[in-house]
Amino acid sequence: MAARSKIPLEYYLAISRAVAGELDFQNVLNKIAEAVQSKLLLYDHLDVAIVSPGDSSMHVAFETGVETHWGKTRDTQPNDLSPVRHVLNGKVSHILTGDAWEDDRFHFEGASDAPIYEANLHSRMHVPLYVHGEVLGTLNVSSHRKNAYTDEDLAITQNIADLISPYVYALNMSEQARVSALAEGAARGREQSLRVGALRLTEAMEAERQRLGMELHDQTLAELSAVYHQVTRLSEQPKPKPGELGQIADSIAHSISELRGIIENAKPGVLELFGLTQAIEAQLERATIGIERAVKVSVTDATDDLLDGGPDPIRTAVFRIVQEAVTNAIKHSRCSWITVKLTSTAQHIRIVVANDGDEPAEGWRRSSGGVDNIRIRAALISSHVEFSRNANGIGSQTDLTIPLSALTRSPESDDPSTTRLHKFAQLERQMP
Ligand SMILES: Nc1ncnc2c1ncn2[C@@H]1O[C@H](COP(=O)(O)OP(=O)(O)OP(=O)(O)O)[C@@H](O)[C@H]1O
Ligand SMILES: [Mg+2]
């Protein structure tokens, strides 16, 4: 790349301008990455590792470009297992390597170095993000090419790190509360996570309400108006023409079936009447009706209907999570089968929704749509969810783990998260 002295200030200011006003950490990083790529450095992978404010021996990574295990897990990881541990721990001022595959600094007992090979990262630069003289994290830039970076590039990377450190620090204060809450279930953090989750879910529900209103307006109301006009016209004629009454009956039957579909989607009635497994079976059937390709579906429940004995909000959340995972498989993956498996151990219930379709596109876990709602619903029931590609490279799966303790917690308890959960259940029930 160009020598440091020749980089106009304007290029660095482009970074500040790009991130101004952005509050979502991932969006900020994406904007920084775009500005860096277009003006300052070429790279194939860029990530930021942030030291946990509550525990400086741990960190969490956010990445752009190629997606790797580092960014997939939003749980905090020990600094000592990071290939850049010495920068994170403040022992060295930077690392610059021409080939990370061969560089012993990245490979040691227990090192989280698999992504280096999997994502084909050879040249790498790692510089610290400093705030108040402390290492807040590292900025990591990698290329598929060997010996791609010079000392000049390293200096540019450090300049970028210095520029973004205060912004990252400020965002980290709020983001970290949410992330560590999800990962560790710490009571205070969990409250914060639930607050953010509550807000997002309320927004999602409001959007859903609007969607329903629009569907009722555009579909059912439009059809009923057409029927009304047909009937009015008929009433003015002495005798209906053959087939006219039949047409009206067909239109009404169509409206009824549309309306039924809208109601079914809004409220999982089967869930309340027949339990989770049947509701999931019904959902799988509904989801596959009317699509062109054949999709085999199956539900196996080896938990002895454990979830049906637990609190309603948990069952409803699980149903909604499975519903979104199934909808996504149908909508995005071109799969030929979908399986839903419920199993249990002495500590957990596990629900895995898998399909054999296309691999999801890069960055799908960062979606702020249904995938994020799944994550929020899981957090609200104190559960853990992982989205992964299947091991054989075909299709993907959504893997939800619910601690059994969540099923026995009393709904009337004073635990704020439980009370909040019940408020959600009420809200969900009130949906049209
Ligand atoms: N099972 C899947 N197979 C392949 N790709 C998937 C799958 N699930 C999700 N994706 C990808 O992840 C993206 C994000 O999914 P998400 O559910 O968040 O949003 P959406 O389905 O596009 O919209 P929404 O759920 O808000 O209606 C999808 O657009 C799709 O590209
Ligand atoms: Mg979706």
Side-chain angles (χ1 to χ4, degrees):
M1 288 288 310
R4 184 186 175 193
S5 53
K6 291 190 187 142
I7 299 280
L9 179 63
E10 183 64 17
Y11 288 5
Y12 290 111
L13 292 180
I15 297 178
S16 305
R17 272 200 293 274
V19 299
E22 271 299 344
L23 294 176
D24 177 83
F25 198 93
Q26 187 65 52
N27 286 348
V28 168
L29 188 61
N30 292 347
K31 292 269 170 75
I32 291 171
E34 272 170 33
V36 169
Q37 180 86 284
S38 68
K39 303 276 189 200
L40 294 164
L41 290 169
L42 294 177
Y43 63 85
D44 294 299
H45 183 267
L46 183 147
D47 73 285
V48 171
I50 308 282
V51 174
S52 305
D55 179 354
S56 60
S57 68
M58 306 289 282
H59 70 278
V60 65
F62 295 84
E63 61 185 358
T64 64
V66 189
E67 193 180 23
T68 75
H69 174 73
W70 291 324
K72 269 180 212 165
T73 169
R74 288 290 162 96
D75 293 349
T76 50
Q77 304 291 324
N79 296 351
D80 286 342
L81 298 186
S82 163
V84 295
R85 56 188 174 161
H86 291 326
V87 188
L88 273 173
N89 293 336
K91 286 203 178 132
V92 298
S93 64
H94 65 268
I95 297 178
L96 169 65
T97 184
D99 189 1
W101 285 38
E102 304 294 338
D103 192 327
D104 288 344
R105 287 175 291 182
F106 296 100
H107 313 292
F108 48 88
E109 183 74 33
S112 172
D113 56 359
I116 292 178
Y117 303 109
E118 286 161 12
N120 192 28
L121 309 179
H122 285 283
S123 298
R124 307 199 75 204
M125 295 188 284
H126 308 277
V127 298
L129 299 165
Y130 286 116
V131 166
H132 304 316
E134 299 281 324
V135 178
L136 156 74
T138 60
L139 173 63
N140 311 302
V141 180
S142 310
S143 165
H144 292 331
R145 288 189 302 122
K146 290 181 189 169
N147 304 315
Y149 300 125
T150 61
D151 284 343
E152 305 290 355
D153 294 320
L154 185 71
I156 293 169
T157 309
Q158 185 64 63
N159 286 347
I160 297 167
D162 293 345
L163 184 73
I164 65 174
S165 290
Y167 209 83
V168 169
Y169 176 74
L171 282 178
N172 188 37
M173 289 294 102
S174 55
E175 176 69 17
Q176 197 62 37
R178 189 174 81 92
V179 173
S180 63
L182 295 182
E184 294 154 19
R188 194 170 60 81
R190 188 152 152 243
E191 232 335 78
Q192 165 75 353
S193 143
L194 290 175
R195 209 156 51 75
V196 175
L199 191 67
R200 295 242 193 113
L201 206 54
T202 313
E203 281 167 10
M205 278 164 37
E206 190 48 43
E208 181 67 3
R209 211 176 288 241
Q210 283 175 8
R211 188 188 65 79
L212 281 172
M214 271 158 55
E215 263 180 32
L216 284 172
H217 176 271
D218 297 350
Q219 218 162 293
T220 316
L221 196 62
E223 278 180 9
L224 286 178
S225 302
V227 171
Y228 170 75
H229 288 304
Q230 271 176 303
V231 173
T232 313
R233 220 180 36 248
L234 270 189
S235 70
E236 287 159 1
Q237 292 171 12
K239 203 167 156 219
K241 287 194 199 122
E244 269 187 321
L245 282 177
Q247 256 180 25
I248 292 176
D250 285 350
S251 301
I252 293 175
H254 188 249
S255 284
I256 290 172
S257 116
E258 293 284 350
L259 205 50
R260 194 167 278 141
I262 293 172
I263 293 166
E264 283 280 291
N265 272 336
K267 195 170 186 302
V270 189
L271 181 60
E272 278 141 28
L273 292 174
F274 301 108
L276 183 66
T277 317
Q278 300 247 14
I280 294 174
E281 271 171 10
Q283 166 60 23
L284 279 165
E285 253 176 57
R286 272 205 303 275
T288 46
I289 284 174
I291 58 167
E292 278 177 10
R293 64 183 194 274
V295 181
K296 270 202 208 153
V297 295
S298 76
V299 185
T300 48
D301 183 357
T303 70
D304 210 9
D305 296 328
L306 212 49
L307 282 165
D308 286 326
D312 260 6
I314 295 193
R315 218 165 36 142
T316 307
V318 170
F319 177 78
R320 292 294 193 196
I321 288 171
V322 172
Q323 188 178 35
E324 175 60 20
V326 167
T327 307
N328 275 353
I330 296 285
K331 203 160 90 172
H332 304 296
S333 83
R334 296 189 296 176
C335 57
S336 68
W337 56 253
I338 302 174
T339 57
V340 182
K341 290 186 183 153
L342 292 89
T343 51
S344 59
T345 66
Q347 281 90 34
H348 297 106
I349 298 180
R350 203 170 151 208
I351 298 118
V352 179
V353 183
N355 68 74
D356 70 336
D358 296 339
E359 278 199 21
E362 280 295 325
W364 63 305
R365 297 181 191 80
R366 296 177 207 135
S367 160
S368 56
V371 162
D372 198 37
N373 280 352
I374 288 181
R375 218 176 263 126
I376 291 166
R377 284 187 203 279
L380 285 168
I381 56 170
S382 313
S383 304
H384 181 73
V385 69
E386 291 223 348
F387 306 96
S388 56
R389 297 190 167 109
N390 292 337
N392 57 6
I394 300 169
S396 59
Q397 63 177 44
T398 303
D399 189 340
L400 177 70
T401 308
I402 308 169
L404 282 187
S405 56
L407 296 189
T408 46
R409 204 176 290 146
S410 156
E412 270 68 54
S413 88
D414 289 337
D415 177 350
S417 62
T418 324
T419 318
R420 207 176 281 276
L421 198 58
H422 274 262
K423 287 210 181 106
F424 272 116
Q426 279 167 8
L427 276 170
E428 295 235 26
R429 275 198 290 274
Q430 283 163 15
M431 278 173 65

